[in-house]
Amino acid sequence: MDNYIIAEINEFSQKENGYLALFCVRLGNFCVKADPQAMLSATIHLESAEYNFEDVADATRPNDYTFDVTPKNENNLSAIIQGVAEVHPEFKVSVKIKEYDEGFEERHIIYTMPEVNKERRDLLNEVCKTFHKECVAKLDWAYGKRLADTAQLLARLSVQEADNVKKVFEKTYHDAKENAEKLLNAKLQEIEEGYQRYLAGKDNTWENSYKDDTEFDVSSLI
């Protein structure tokens, strides 16, 4: 294969992977569990500037359903809460104080994922399937366009060379569709697991997340 054909193949692969990445981010923002991707969509407004979440805070996951967020500067605590609320108003939020032996106190923002009742399960399933259809439509469009755009180029190749290039395009396309299906199925399974937790009476409350951590004051400050 000459360099131009290799470039066409690489560009097509990047295009398909880009649509997959967008689909993955969208799924990550529909939180049943505390998906780290969810925080990446938050913009924090500080005075006249905007910052990404990771620029102003650190986040850990004490369990699958909780974010423990520590502001890098406590003066930004309210701005962080507001920024996250703009993209995830469904998160349950509380502010806790962690006390250290040296007398030092540290404020943490605790985000708890909402429970998955039947209404939320049905809504999440519908939205995720809709985004999957949109992703597949984009993969289909990119594949068809790539074949059309390279038709004249492939016509100048030998039959075997042209078939080999088409097979590469086809494999890239089918692999992307298969990965999109896997992403959807994994999310639907996560949603169903969340619903079964709800039916079993399990909850995602902060106190259960930190019930064995004696360093925290359990009284909410907001």
Side-chain angles (χ1 to χ4, degrees):
M1 291 184 191
D2 61 34
N3 291 335
Y4 185 79
I5 294 175
I6 293 174
E8 287 286 335
I9 291 171
N10 289 338
E11 183 180 340
F12 176 59
S13 179
Q14 291 173 4
K15 177 78 73 174
E16 298 286 83
N17 287 334
Y19 291 138
L20 280 176
L22 176 60
F23 180 47
C24 185
V25 169
R26 283 179 160 180
L27 293 181
N29 276 304
F30 296 115
C31 289
V32 174
K33 294 183 178 180
D35 191 325
Q37 292 187 81
M39 291 301 189
L40 298 180
S41 59
T43 299
I44 312 302
H45 303 272
L46 299 175
E47 297 180 350
S48 59
E50 295 182 348
Y51 295 86
N52 295 325
F53 174 86
E54 61 269 25
D55 295 329
V56 299
D58 296 314
T60 59
R61 293 198 322 155
N63 67 18
D64 286 342
Y65 301 93
T66 307
F67 285 119
D68 177 352
V69 174
T70 309
K72 295 181 179 180
N73 183 334
E74 285 203 0
N75 293 330
N76 299 332
L77 186 144
S78 295
I80 294 170
I81 292 174
Q82 181 178 351
V84 173
E86 289 176 357
V87 292
H88 290 292
E90 76 278 14
F91 287 2
K92 300 176 183 178
V93 58
S94 59
V95 176
K96 310 295 180 180
I97 296 178
K98 189 168 186 176
E99 299 178 350
Y100 294 88
D101 293 338
E102 298 81 2
F104 172 69
E105 292 184 347
E106 187 176 63
R107 282 173 171 76
H108 290 233
I109 309 168
I110 307 299
Y111 290 101
T112 303
M113 300 304 100
E115 297 168 347
V116 183
N117 56 23
K118 185 179 186 304
E119 180 181 6
R120 187 162 186 256
R121 179 195 66 169
D122 294 345
L123 177 61
L124 288 175
N125 282 340
E126 180 181 353
V127 174
C128 290
K129 289 177 182 178
T130 297
F131 281 142
H132 174 258
K133 289 179 181 178
E134 291 180 2
C135 177
V136 171
K138 290 176 180 178
L139 296 176
D140 291 346
W141 173 83
Y143 178 53
K145 187 175 187 300
R146 185 63 52 172
L147 291 179
D149 290 347
T150 57
Q152 291 184 350
L153 172 64
L154 296 180
R156 296 198 296 267
L157 302 177
S158 68
V159 173
Q160 182 176 356
E161 287 177 328
D163 285 344
N164 288 339
V165 174
K166 289 179 181 178
K167 287 179 181 178
V168 174
F169 285 145
E170 183 179 15
K171 185 178 187 308
T172 300
Y173 163 66
H174 285 298
D175 285 350
K177 287 187 68 173
E178 182 179 338
N179 286 332
E181 187 74 17
K182 289 179 180 178
L183 287 171
L184 175 64
N185 289 337
K187 192 65 181 184
L188 295 180
Q189 181 178 348
E190 179 184 323
I191 294 168
E192 185 60 29
E193 289 174 356
Y195 179 56
Q196 293 304 318
R197 277 176 58 85
Y198 170 78
L199 292 179
K202 297 179 181 179
D203 59 59
N204 306 328
T205 60
W206 179 87
E207 284 75 13
N208 287 340
S209 301
Y210 277 93
K211 62 182 179 181
D212 297 323
D213 193 334
T214 59
E215 292 182 327
F216 273 90
D217 174 5
V218 298
S219 60
S220 177
L221 302 182
I222 61 174

